[in-house]
Amino acid sequence: MNKPKIDTRIQEERLNVLVHNLPSSLLGTIGVGILMFYIVIDTVFRVNALLWIAAVLFLSLLRAIHTYILIRYKKGQYLKDEKYILLGIFLSGPLLASSLLVIFPPNNLTLQVLIFFLLSLMIAGAVSVYSTHITAFLAYTLPIIFSFLYATSSLPDMLALIFIVGLAYYTILLVSMFKVHKSITNFIKTQYLNRDLADNLSSAKEELELSNNELKLENSVRKQTEKRLYHLANYDPLTGLANRQMFKENLKRSIHSSKDNATTLALLFLDLDNFKIINDTLGHAMGDKLLIAAASRLKSLLNDNSSISRLGGDEFVIIMNEIEDGRDVVALADSIIKLLEKPFSFNENEMFIGTSIGISLYPNDTSNTETLLSYADTAMYSAKDKGKNNYQFFSAKMFETIEFRHKVETKLHHAISNNEFRIQYQPKIDTITQSIIGAEALLRWDNEDLGTISPSVFIPIAEESSLINIIGEWVITKVCEDLSYLKNSFSNDLCISVNVSASQILHQNLPLILQKNLNKHSLANTSIELEFTENMLIKQGQKTLQVLETLDQMGINLSIDDFGTGYSSLSYLKTLPIHTLKIDKSLIADTPHCEGDCAIAKTIISLAHNLNLTVVAEGVETAEQLNFLRSNGCHIIQGFYFHKP
Ligand code: C2E
Ligand code: CA
Ligand code: CA
């Protein structure tokens, strides 16, 4: 705020006092004027007296109106009107003084003295009225003094004496007037300074309060922002779990206290199985829901001694502090696997995932923070290799596996273009007629560096990337080509089984690829059978079912491979459009000696009969196995007993 300068304000204040004194001054002027007119009217020239009093009254009236306007409307802002105010005062003084010329009774000493007296009274009054304004005082009183001078010059000694006394009196008045003026000015000044000081103080206080409040606000905004930034920097926005950054700090802290207390710490590295497939096929929104649900299941398993973080994607880590022995860790790993195995359902979709867990121990495996994590990661890969949905403790041997795995993946990329794949067919025999009714296509990979690698090794690696789709399509193309060649050699309708991976159902237009290749060689749709694993079928829900139904409508045979090793519910089996159950070779291996396996095999066979499905046994190596299976009603046999692939 801009304040006027102090001098201007003092000037204003003086004028203010002056204006407020004007009404009484005017009243005095009018009163004295009328009194003088009254006492002289009979002794002087009447017209002169009338004109004089008229002038006095007229001027007083004008000034009164002006004063009224000032007080009423200008409200203390009189600086601009100062000259008019002074003009009024300046005219009043001479007008009063003119009485000594115009209506001064020539031969009446009493009246003359009385007039002097009245004018002196006006001068005395002016001291108090104009005390704040020297110019006004002088403008008012000097003309009176000068007219005194003039009037007394022609008067007798007596009057001259009175005049001299009056002049001395005026001088004293003038001096005291200056003093009064000075002290009033000082008073006003001090008042203003004090007021300014108070103003400054209070505005400083206000400003202080304002900036204090701003500071408080800023503080709370800053705190909130800091909190949010901290949260963003340390927590995963999706699951609310600690993120990689926070995990690193937690791990450092945990290792520190493990060291101090000489305790053991376990790091569990979790990677969800099949998450990529779900995320890619059902969409990221579904993938996100799954991650949130999986995270909350995981959290429910932990106690105060453990903490969980999400490293990114479908990777989680758990720090287990102060473990007593390996059994604690095994128990937790087991319960994680069991809990995440249970289906997740969102809307219509039921999803199955699993977890592969790698475990490293501090200080047993390493005392380095970074290494501890990389060991757990290595162990996790080993768990994936071992068929997923299991846990592995880190061991140094795993490095070789990892390295090998990496090599396989690199080489796989060039396998098709280098023509390194071929297919072996393993015949399938009808147990009654003992004739070949078809064959299973088994992929082989011969690599210059790695030699011949088993599909059990490279298929899971191919499944981790999208390579499996390219490879799978190659197999279908090749099988159809071979079939068109074979159909000339076989009189009956030969059916070739092709193994299919989950990703092929979800990512590829499998029916279209099949139809295209079958048509190309004019093959009947019934000449291809597809083998899916049990887990793959029950795990992937709606989309899988749709594809299976399309394939079924096309007349393609659908078979469940490795049956008896998964955990499919029998009721679910009924809803699938499948035609064949293939008993897993691990269940055949110990028949007919192992009672349990025999019971399972028999149950599967009778289940197949009840559901009106064809039942195949794979991995049949002995005549005993063949006899056992045949006598229990198994329709088809596949295995080394008859033919190697
Ligand atoms: P699978 O579908 O269960 O195939 C049967 C496996 O058992 C084959 O192993 C076969 O060589 C082997 N086998 C056949 N008869 C006997 C026997 O009497 N005793 C024993 N011990 N084993 C026997 P292979 O060829 O190593 O294939 C391993 C797995 O690789 C297959 O298991 C299948 O899951 C997968 N696979 C093979 N080819 C393909 C393919 O083209 N695509 C996909 N997605 N997977 C394939
Ligand atoms: Ca198979
Ligand atoms: Ca099998």
Side-chain angles (χ1 to χ4, degrees):
M1 196 170 61
N2 252 339
K3 279 183 182 167
K5 276 189 184 151
I6 186 115
D7 288 344
T8 319
R9 280 157 59 202
I10 289 169
Q11 218 176 326
E12 252 173 11
E13 188 57 37
R14 283 196 328 225
L15 213 54
N16 198 13
V17 175
L18 172 70
V19 170
H20 282 89
N21 283 339
L22 281 179
S24 53
S25 139
L26 282 170
L27 268 179
T29 306
I30 292 167
V32 168
I34 290 172
L35 196 63
M36 288 201 328
F37 171 75
Y38 180 74
I39 56 173
V40 299
I41 185 74
D42 294 331
T43 54
V44 297
F45 197 45
R46 196 170 276 261
V47 180
N48 278 4
L50 277 170
L51 278 176
W52 182 82
I53 190 66
V56 169
L57 290 178
F58 179 69
L59 183 64
S60 298
L61 184 70
L62 282 184
R63 287 184 62 205
I65 293 170
H66 185 220
T67 307
Y68 174 77
I69 290 172
L70 288 177
I71 292 174
R72 177 82 205 261
Y73 299 106
K74 299 289 174 95
K75 310 234 173 323
Q77 306 292 310
Y78 308 127
L79 268 184
K80 275 189 196 150
D81 296 277
E82 190 176 18
K83 48 184 178 294
Y84 302 110
I85 298 167
L86 288 181
L87 182 69
I89 295 166
F90 192 70
L91 289 177
S92 292
L95 196 59
L96 276 181
S98 71
S99 60
L100 293 178
L101 309 176
V102 183
I103 55 162
F104 199 56
N107 301 313
N108 190 328
L109 189 67
T110 319
L111 285 182
Q112 285 176 348
V113 171
L114 202 61
I115 285 175
F116 272 163
F117 176 73
L118 284 173
L119 286 177
S120 303
L121 211 66
M122 290 310 287
I123 290 172
V127 174
S128 80
V129 172
Y130 304 121
S131 57
T132 57
H133 207 291
I134 295 276
T135 321
F137 178 80
L138 293 176
Y140 186 75
T141 55
L142 279 181
I144 301 177
I145 296 296
F146 284 127
S147 56
F148 271 176
L149 254 177
Y150 174 78
T152 46
S153 59
S154 57
L155 289 175
D157 294 349
M158 172 66 186
L159 268 182
L161 189 74
I162 292 173
F163 170 74
I164 287 165
V165 173
L167 210 60
Y169 163 71
Y170 178 74
T171 312
I172 294 166
L173 275 186
L174 207 60
V175 171
S176 67
M177 161 70 203
F178 271 106
K179 278 191 175 161
V180 169
H181 173 82
K182 204 178 161 191
S183 65
I184 285 179
T185 306
N186 277 343
F187 175 71
I188 295 172
K189 208 172 188 167
T190 324
Q191 224 182 12
Y192 267 108
L193 285 175
N194 281 343
R195 206 181 298 164
D196 264 6
L197 205 66
D199 276 0
N200 284 346
L201 270 177
S202 83
S203 74
K205 203 179 140 205
E206 267 170 32
E207 270 168 33
L208 206 68
E209 261 169 24
L210 209 70
S211 53
N212 230 342
N213 287 342
E214 274 170 14
L215 216 66
K216 272 187 202 156
L217 197 74
E218 235 172 57
N219 247 339
S220 87
V221 168
R222 206 195 58 221
K223 268 187 196 149
Q224 270 176 7
T225 316
E226 269 174 4
K227 217 168 149 187
R228 273 186 51 201
L229 283 178
Y230 177 81
H231 211 267
L232 276 179
N234 293 290
Y235 289 89
D236 165 40
L238 185 69
T239 59
L241 299 182
N243 64 10
R244 186 181 283 271
Q245 172 69 26
M246 182 82 155
F247 159 72
K248 281 185 182 166
E249 275 168 32
N250 287 345
L251 184 61
K252 257 189 226 158
R253 223 177 299 132
S254 289
I255 285 186
H256 215 80
S257 85
S258 267
K259 198 175 184 179
D260 289 350
N261 306 321
T263 53
T264 305
L265 170 158
L267 197 63
L268 286 77
F269 196 115
L270 282 68
D271 189 290
L272 303 183
D273 301 329
N274 305 326
F275 176 75
K276 190 180 177 315
I277 294 178
I278 291 175
N279 205 37
D280 289 352
T281 52
L282 299 178
H284 292 265
M286 197 56 88
D288 283 355
K289 278 188 189 172
L290 190 66
L291 285 173
I292 294 168
S296 94
R297 282 192 195 181
L298 286 170
K299 258 195 288 189
S300 75
L301 283 179
L302 303 183
N303 58 20
D304 291 346
N305 248 352
S306 322
S307 68
I308 180 163
S309 317
R310 180 181 170 218
L311 290 193
D314 57 348
E315 290 177 349
F316 300 86
V317 267
I318 294 172
I319 303 171
M320 263 184 104
N321 294 299
E322 293 174 29
I323 51 168
E324 303 268 299
D325 59 42
R327 274 175 296 184
D328 296 355
V329 190
V330 168
L332 178 65
D334 268 334
S335 24
I336 291 172
I337 288 172
K338 286 209 183 92
L339 194 63
L340 291 189
E341 225 165 55
K342 290 187 185 149
F344 289 84
S345 36
F346 306 108
N347 310 328
E348 299 269 282
N349 290 295
E350 196 166 57
M351 278 171 265
F352 292 82
I353 52 168
T355 353
S356 300
I357 308 174
I359 305 162
S360 59
L361 302 172
Y362 171 93
N364 313 40
D365 293 330
T366 173
S367 51
N368 179 286
T369 317
E370 300 281 320
T371 319
L372 194 67
L373 180 65
S374 92
Y375 281 3
D377 187 26
T378 305
M380 186 278 292
Y381 269 104
S382 161
K384 291 257 182 215
D385 270 348
K386 295 244 156 66
K388 301 180 177 175
N389 210 37
N390 70 98
Y391 63 84
Q392 295 293 323
F393 280 88
F394 170 79
S395 88
K397 260 191 263 165
M398 286 172 179
F399 284 125
E400 289 161 31
T401 324
I402 303 279
E403 207 181 316
F404 175 72
R405 198 193 153 87
H406 185 71
K407 216 173 185 177
V408 168
E409 199 183 329
T410 318
K411 304 255 178 222
L412 256 186
H413 275 97
H414 310 287
I416 291 182
S417 55
N418 289 350
N419 222 0
E420 294 173 358
F421 286 131
R422 65 194 162 87
I423 289 175
Q424 280 190 337
Y425 293 94
Q426 183 174 37
K428 292 197 279 192
I429 315 293
D430 185 317
T431 47
I432 310 289
T433 64
Q434 301 236 357
S435 61
I436 295 175
I437 50 109
E440 178 176 6
L442 294 161
L443 186 58
R444 299 290 174 254
W445 179 29
D446 307 308
N447 181 269
E448 219 183 355
D449 290 343
L450 301 168
T452 299
I453 304 146
S454 162
S456 325
V457 173
F458 72 82
I459 293 287
I461 296 173
E463 279 173 346
E464 291 278 297
S465 65
S466 55
L467 272 177
I468 190 64
N469 298 326
I470 306 163
I471 296 174
E473 190 169 350
W474 182 88
V475 172
I476 291 168
T477 313
K478 186 75 174 98
V479 165
C480 288
E481 252 174 53
D482 289 348
L483 255 176
S484 82
Y485 168 76
L486 282 169
K487 76 177 172 188
N488 304 321
S489 325
F490 288 85
S491 51
N492 58 344
D493 287 332
L494 200 66
C495 178
I496 303 287
S497 309
V498 174
N499 293 286
V500 171
S501 293
S503 158
Q504 287 179 269
I505 301 187
L506 295 167
H507 286 275
Q508 280 190 312
N509 195 336
L510 196 57
L512 196 78
I513 291 171
L514 274 166
Q515 196 63 68
K516 192 181 76 187
N517 281 286
L518 288 164
N519 289 351
K520 191 176 169 190
H521 302 286
S522 312
L523 297 168
N525 286 4
T526 46
S527 52
I528 291 279
E529 181 181 61
L530 299 180
E531 293 189 5
F532 306 92
T533 64
E534 200 178 352
N535 296 342
M536 185 176 130
L537 289 184
I538 59 164
K539 274 188 179 177
Q540 309 307 340
Q542 211 56 33
K543 165 111 198 234
T544 311
L545 200 64
Q546 277 170 13
V547 177
L548 293 186
E549 268 157 8
T550 312
L551 292 167
D552 178 43
Q553 280 154 20
M554 282 166 64
I556 306 234
N557 252 310
L558 304 175
S559 170
I560 299 191
D561 202 357
D562 303 343
F563 194 78
T565 55
Y567 12 71
S568 57
S569 68
L570 295 180
S571 60
Y572 189 74
L573 208 59
K574 264 201 318 199
T575 66
L576 294 172
I578 45 153
H579 315 95
T580 308
L581 289 186
K582 198 167 182 183
I583 308 171
D584 189 63
K585 55 183 176 294
S586 66
L587 290 169
I588 304 299
D590 293 334
T591 55
H593 309 291
C594 172
E595 261 181 49
D597 284 359
C598 286
I600 295 174
K602 276 197 241 174
T603 310
I604 295 176
I605 294 170
S606 72
L607 174 75
H609 283 273
N610 288 337
L611 293 173
N612 219 5
L613 302 172
T614 305
V615 59
V616 182
E618 67 175 0
V620 177
E621 294 180 353
T622 66
E624 277 177 315
Q625 289 169 345
L626 171 67
N627 287 335
F628 165 76
L629 293 163
R630 187 166 44 194
S631 62
N632 280 289
C634 182
H635 303 123
I636 296 166
I637 296 292
Q638 183 186 340
F640 296 169
Y641 178 70
F642 286 110
H643 302 279
K644 292 207 163 178

